[in-house]
Amino acid sequence: MNTEAKRSPSPDLPERERAGVREWLGLFAMAIPIFMLSTDLTVLFIAMPAIGADLAPAGAQSLWMLHIGDFLGAATAITLGLLTRRIGRRRLLVLGVGAYGLASLLAAYATSSEMLIGARALLGVAGGSFTVAGHALLRVMFTNKRQYATAFAIFTAAFMGGSAAGPPLGGLILEHFWWGAVFLINVPAAALLLLAAPFVLPRDTPDRSIRIDPLSVILSVLGIMALIFGLQELADRGASPLRVAAIVLGVALLGLFLRRQARSDHPLLDLALFRTKGFAILLVLLSFAAFAFAGTNMLIAQHLQVVQGLSSMQAGLLLAAPAVSGIIGSLLTPVLQRLIEPTQVLALTLTLSGASALVVIPLLGTSSLASQIIALSAIMLFGSPFMTMCTQMIVTSVPPERSGPAVAVQNVFSSLGNAGGLAVTGSLAMAIYRPLFTREAPSGLSANELDIARDSFGAAAAVAERADGTLQAQISHALDHAFTVATQAGFGLAGSLQLIMALIALLWLRRVLRKRSSATPSEQ
């Protein structure tokens, strides 16, 4: 890719290629719902105690309330990607936002655990529709590359901003209203976009020749959902025959799905996408980045509470600082693109983010909380431009009419990376924590208490709270040391992965994209 062309000024492009007021208003109208949608991913953690007290979920119902939306959003992504072509980008977005507003109303006034789980399921599918269609619309709204890079960064920053605002916003709402209000605030945002869409979003022509293969839909939805469910359950509760069976079933169903796509005249997923040079490498980089960030985010949130004694609200507020750094990093992405070529942006940001993750290791347990938050903020400041740039390159590596399916595949790989990161990093942390805690646990612990304390970090903290005097201090010391070493291992894995990916971006991806650039006329 030509660096000099990257630096050339955009005003020399024809005016018709530059977005006007209508397109920027359209971006603003989409940014508000994407902000609210992403608050749902984090606000529910704050609201769960109030929901539990009111609805009294039984068994695994609390888990399904938290995760059913994520599962179905990822599982239906491939189908939604094809629907951007079958019914049109704008129509899918409007349908998704309408369903999102309705599902928010149902969730706000849910009278049973089952009703809330159903509403959360609809929120997941509706949110997936909006995300896929929104990214696809950006591609046709902003045809000028510089403007597209800026619009994409703003869209991504809105999503990250919602994630950061979720915990404090949820806490503020719950101080004055009932738990349903955390969902009810989504309704005005959805209504705004529904009213504005006909005026600020471009109309596109549906491709009625596209056919939806029902069996492919079933195989993709069940396969992705089983795989992600198995991986997240493995991370939350450890290994069991059922969780391993879910992972095996998911892999088998996805294998059947891919085989059918290769043979079908109307595939749900066009496998030719993966033959686009650089597409598969970018997906691998993105999924492993999601893997790295998910694992460390899980560990540090618990470490702040279990080892450093913060409340969940205090931990959430402190972790808003790295999230804000991520927003800033996303907004800086277009600036980086103008200065250096894309693969160098990827390699540089991965290197700095990975190095920051490694810096966290010696800070845990020995340095001030402020220094840890600064290092965590550096991870996000450098990591978010990578995520933004990588996603943008995936979407723009294919023609505009295929951007919906490309976004859908990217969503699936991100979800699998996230779930895999939780499972693998969680398993690694427990594999380190258990023998360390067992070795350092005081002799005054009974066999039953030792088994409970070994089961999880939170359980060990509860055992320590019930103990008295010297025994409490000894249990806490064993817990702090074992959990800190486990958390350090998680950050070591994340940092090392990012440095390896930086080399892949700089050496392999760069060479592949240069071959593509020399083989086809440049779009610059």
Side-chain angles (χ1 to χ4, degrees):
M1 194 164 290
N2 192 317
T3 307
E4 291 301 315
K6 268 285 178 193
R7 297 174 181 171
S8 63
S10 58
D12 61 350
L13 293 172
E15 190 63 30
R16 62 182 175 80
E17 293 190 20
R18 298 182 58 76
V21 174
R22 182 189 181 203
E23 286 76 18
W24 291 108
L25 287 174
L27 171 63
F28 176 75
M30 290 194 295
I32 295 175
I34 198 72
F35 178 92
M36 298 311 303
L37 183 152
S38 62
T39 63
D40 283 349
L41 304 177
T42 52
V43 75
L44 206 60
F45 292 104
I46 301 297
M48 277 308 295
I51 292 172
D54 187 19
L55 300 183
Q61 286 183 330
S62 293
L63 178 70
W64 285 108
M65 288 177 188
L66 286 169
H67 296 304
I68 185 65
D70 300 337
F71 293 162
L72 280 175
T76 56
I78 293 175
T79 302
L80 295 171
L82 193 61
L83 284 176
T84 60
R85 299 177 64 192
R86 179 69 176 84
I87 68 174
R89 304 173 187 89
R90 192 176 83 174
R91 184 172 297 175
L92 178 63
L93 183 137
V94 168
L95 289 173
V97 170
Y100 180 71
L102 174 61
S104 295
L105 281 172
L106 291 174
Y109 294 103
T111 55
S112 67
S113 296
E114 293 80 7
M115 185 175 175
L116 181 55
I117 291 170
R120 286 282 295 155
L122 182 56
L123 277 168
V125 178
S129 303
F130 175 76
T131 303
V132 171
H135 277 104
L137 273 169
L138 285 181
R139 185 81 191 279
V140 296
M141 290 166 63
F142 298 92
T143 57
N144 176 284
K145 287 198 168 186
R146 278 197 180 181
Q147 289 187 320
Y148 175 73
T150 301
F152 194 95
I154 292 171
F155 196 74
T156 303
F159 183 86
M160 298 188 70
S163 298
L169 180 63
L172 180 65
I173 291 171
L174 291 171
E175 288 240 345
H176 300 91
F177 304 99
W178 93 113
W179 61 263
V182 301
F183 296 104
L184 203 59
I185 58 173
N186 297 331
V187 177
L192 173 65
L193 183 54
L194 290 176
L195 291 173
F199 307 101
V200 297
L201 298 181
R203 184 190 300 273
D204 52 344
T205 304
D207 186 352
R208 301 300 184 188
S209 67
I210 299 291
R211 296 287 179 266
I212 305 293
D213 176 25
L215 182 56
S216 292
V217 173
I218 293 171
L219 288 173
S220 67
V221 170
L222 294 182
I224 294 171
M225 193 164 180
L227 182 55
I228 293 178
F229 168 77
L231 289 170
Q232 290 207 14
E233 277 283 271
L234 196 68
D236 286 341
R237 303 186 178 188
S240 75
L242 176 62
R243 290 152 206 159
V244 173
I247 294 172
V248 172
L249 176 63
V251 171
L253 289 173
L254 288 176
L256 291 174
F257 168 74
L258 292 175
R259 183 180 179 186
R260 185 170 181 84
Q261 303 319 291
R263 299 180 176 184
S264 175
D265 293 332
H266 301 284
L268 191 66
L269 173 63
D270 186 0
L271 298 182
L273 283 174
F274 294 91
R275 292 193 288 273
T276 302
K277 287 186 177 179
F279 186 82
I281 304 173
L282 288 165
L283 287 174
V284 170
L285 292 176
L286 186 69
S287 61
F288 274 101
F291 179 105
F293 293 137
T296 53
N297 288 344
M298 172 188 67
L299 289 174
I300 197 62
Q302 295 181 70
H303 192 273
L304 288 172
Q305 297 173 72
V306 174
V307 175
Q308 307 197 46
L310 301 181
S311 69
S312 57
M313 178 61 74
Q314 289 172 328
L317 289 172
L318 276 177
L319 290 175
V324 170
S325 294
I327 298 170
I328 295 170
S330 294
L331 294 174
L332 288 175
T333 307
V335 178
L336 292 173
Q337 288 177 263
R338 293 169 192 170
L339 297 175
I340 55 179
E341 67 176 17
T343 52
Q344 290 178 338
V345 174
L346 298 182
L348 176 63
T349 53
L350 279 171
T351 299
L352 293 173
S353 179
S356 299
L358 297 179
V359 166
V360 171
I361 295 174
L363 297 179
L364 288 172
T366 60
S367 299
S368 68
L369 190 59
S371 63
Q372 296 173 37
I373 296 301
I374 290 170
L376 293 169
S377 298
I379 295 174
M380 293 305 298
L381 179 66
F382 301 126
S384 59
F386 165 79
M387 299 294 283
T388 303
M389 184 70 185
C390 192
T391 304
Q392 181 185 330
M393 291 175 69
I394 289 170
V395 177
T396 56
S397 67
V398 300
E401 66 273 9
R402 298 168 73 189
S403 56
V407 173
V409 173
Q410 171 258 313
N411 285 352
V412 172
F413 271 75
S414 293
S415 297
L416 291 175
N418 185 77
L422 293 174
V424 174
T425 308
S427 299
L428 172 67
M430 291 307 297
I432 292 172
Y433 165 77
R434 283 178 175 139
L436 271 180
F437 182 84
T438 302
R439 189 176 68 199
E440 299 194 10
S443 57
L445 269 182
S446 68
N448 182 54
E449 288 174 323
L450 179 60
D451 286 341
I452 292 172
R454 280 165 38 89
D455 191 52
S456 73
F457 316 125
V463 170
E465 285 180 9
R466 291 194 296 267
D468 296 319
T470 304
L471 181 60
Q472 182 183 68
Q474 290 173 334
I475 298 171
S476 297
H477 178 268
L479 167 61
D480 291 354
H481 179 251
F483 189 14
T484 296
V485 173
T487 305
Q488 289 171 326
F491 275 91
L493 174 63
S496 301
L497 272 176
Q498 290 179 79
L499 294 178
I500 292 170
M501 290 188 298
L503 287 175
I504 293 173
L506 191 60
L507 302 178
W508 187 13
L509 179 62
R510 190 181 189 190
R511 185 172 67 251
V512 168
L513 293 182
R514 279 182 171 177
K515 287 181 179 179
R516 184 183 75 177
S517 180
S518 62
T520 59
S522 173
E523 293 180 9
Q524 301 292 341

